[in-house]
Amino acid sequence: MKLNYIKQLGCLSIIASVALFSCHGNSNSSTATTAADTLTKAPQKGTDMADQDSETYLLPSPLQIASIFKNSGLTYQPGITAPFKDAAQFNSQFEQALNMGIFSADLSYCILNKQNDDAVKYLNIVKSLSDKLGFGSVFESNSFLKRFQANMNSTDSLASLIAELQMQTDTYLENNKQKYIGVIAFAGAWVESMNIGGTVYEKGKSNSVSSRISEQMNILEGLEKLLKKYNASDSHIARLITDLNTIKAAYDEFAEVKSYNPDSEQPINLTAEHVSQLGAMIKTLRSKFIAA
């Protein structure tokens, strides 16, 4: 059975993001929230993905992942996002792209939780890293930074602006044959989002957050396929694939994952012990990423 979660990578991902944040603004609309979540859930273990071209996998934006966790009850916890850093500390293109993804995830987390001062700081770091990577001009189009400042009191407006920025960045990378940079950045954003989800879960042990963590774990198969496709574009990608595959291999050995019925419409509910084990592995990898 193939679940209807695989969408065209690119503009549809951004459209889903905009729809998701429109729904987020109306917490009383359970129907709208369910529809938005359907756009962003990853396939559960057992979905036949082998015959799908890697370009068709949906890699949700950091904004989408943050909203999925937010809608499942994830609360804001201060001090768990990555420390603010000068973009000059990251020397290689790989480090710059990876950490741009990490800071993008932190930016999304702060926007959703109305932490506007920190959001501006993370936005400036992302902008600086974009400059170093060669596409800082994307921020200048349509007076993006000025519009961001003007909409600081509207979470929905900020979310829409971030979605717009992501779309323009994707277009730039596509046109300049640098899509691999976006895939590396997504890997960083995914790791940071999962680190935030796992850290906050430890404080509340919410079953709904646990199921969201298992859903996001299944994004890894598509991500690994894309990384392998661009393996020759950066010598560091091979190691990144190995690091991510180590986490996925551990997850696949959990009893509740191995026994999961792929025809089930229900998510995999990880035990608290397994969420903790997974979280520890992700935290270790994240620490390595931000050590520069």
Side-chain angles (χ1 to χ4, degrees):
M1 175 182 177
K2 293 184 179 180
L3 302 183
N4 187 29
Y5 295 150
I6 301 177
K7 309 290 182 184
Q8 188 69 30
L9 180 62
C11 290
L12 281 181
S13 176
I14 305 306
I15 292 170
S17 182
V18 174
L20 186 60
F21 278 87
S22 296
C23 294
H24 175 71
N26 181 5
S27 60
N28 294 324
S29 177
S30 59
T31 302
T33 301
T34 300
D37 286 349
T38 300
L39 287 170
T40 54
K41 287 179 182 176
Q44 287 295 336
K45 181 176 174 62
T47 301
D48 181 9
M49 304 174 78
D51 61 343
Q52 299 289 337
D53 182 84
S54 61
E55 286 293 337
T56 66
Y57 289 117
L58 169 64
L59 294 185
S61 72
L63 213 55
Q64 287 175 274
I65 297 177
S67 187
I68 289 170
F69 279 130
K70 175 77 172 179
N71 288 339
S72 68
L74 199 72
T75 57
Y76 177 76
Q77 298 289 339
I80 66 173
T81 53
F84 302 115
K85 288 197 173 186
D86 189 326
Q89 293 181 247
F90 304 107
N91 298 315
S92 70
Q93 185 182 70
F94 178 81
E95 288 180 344
Q96 291 160 6
L98 196 64
N99 282 278
M100 186 177 73
I102 288 173
F103 292 126
S104 294
D106 292 331
L107 169 62
S108 299
Y109 181 62
C110 290
I111 286 175
L112 271 184
N113 289 282
K114 303 183 185 302
Q115 302 298 309
N116 292 344
D117 290 343
D118 284 352
V120 170
K121 293 177 183 177
Y122 283 121
L123 180 65
N124 286 331
I125 298 172
V126 171
K127 166 65 166 63
S128 296
L129 287 169
S130 297
D131 287 337
K132 292 179 75 67
L133 287 163
F135 52 89
S137 60
V138 173
F139 279 77
E140 308 302 331
S141 61
N142 298 320
S143 302
F144 176 79
L145 293 175
K146 185 180 295 184
R147 290 161 62 203
F148 191 92
Q149 291 281 0
N151 287 277
M152 290 299 293
N153 293 323
S154 173
T155 299
D156 289 342
S157 295
L158 293 180
S160 294
L161 284 170
I162 295 297
E164 177 186 334
L165 174 64
Q166 181 69 54
M167 181 182 290
Q168 293 184 19
T169 299
D170 289 345
T171 299
Y172 178 95
L173 295 176
E174 173 79 26
N175 292 341
N176 290 274
K177 302 186 185 304
Q178 293 179 302
K179 289 181 67 175
Y180 69 95
I181 291 178
V183 179
I184 294 170
F186 177 80
W190 182 86
V191 168
E192 180 69 349
S193 298
M194 291 291 282
N195 179 68
I196 291 172
T199 301
V200 177
Y201 168 83
E202 288 297 320
K203 299 180 181 296
K205 308 292 184 183
S206 167
N207 286 334
S208 60
V209 173
S210 170
S211 64
R212 291 308 198 192
I213 288 174
S214 69
E215 286 172 356
Q216 297 309 311
M217 273 301 301
N218 287 285
I219 290 174
L220 276 186
E221 186 170 347
L223 174 57
E224 286 185 12
K225 285 182 178 291
L226 285 173
L227 286 169
K228 288 177 181 177
K229 177 176 180 178
Y230 296 114
N231 193 31
S233 300
D234 192 296
S235 61
H236 298 88
I237 290 179
R239 181 59 193 175
L240 175 59
I241 293 171
T242 299
D243 287 338
L244 294 173
N245 191 58
T246 298
I247 293 174
K248 187 176 185 301
Y251 169 81
D252 287 343
E253 288 301 309
F254 293 158
E256 61 271 36
V257 177
K258 294 176 72 173
S259 64
Y260 180 72
N261 177 5
D263 290 331
S264 172
E265 294 294 333
Q266 300 300 315
I268 296 172
N269 289 310
L270 299 177
T271 65
E273 178 184 5
H274 286 158
V275 173
S276 295
Q277 290 177 16
L278 194 64
M281 295 180 69
I282 290 171
K283 191 176 293 294
T284 297
L285 182 58
R286 182 254 203 180
S287 296
K288 183 171 75 171
F289 288 168
I290 66 175

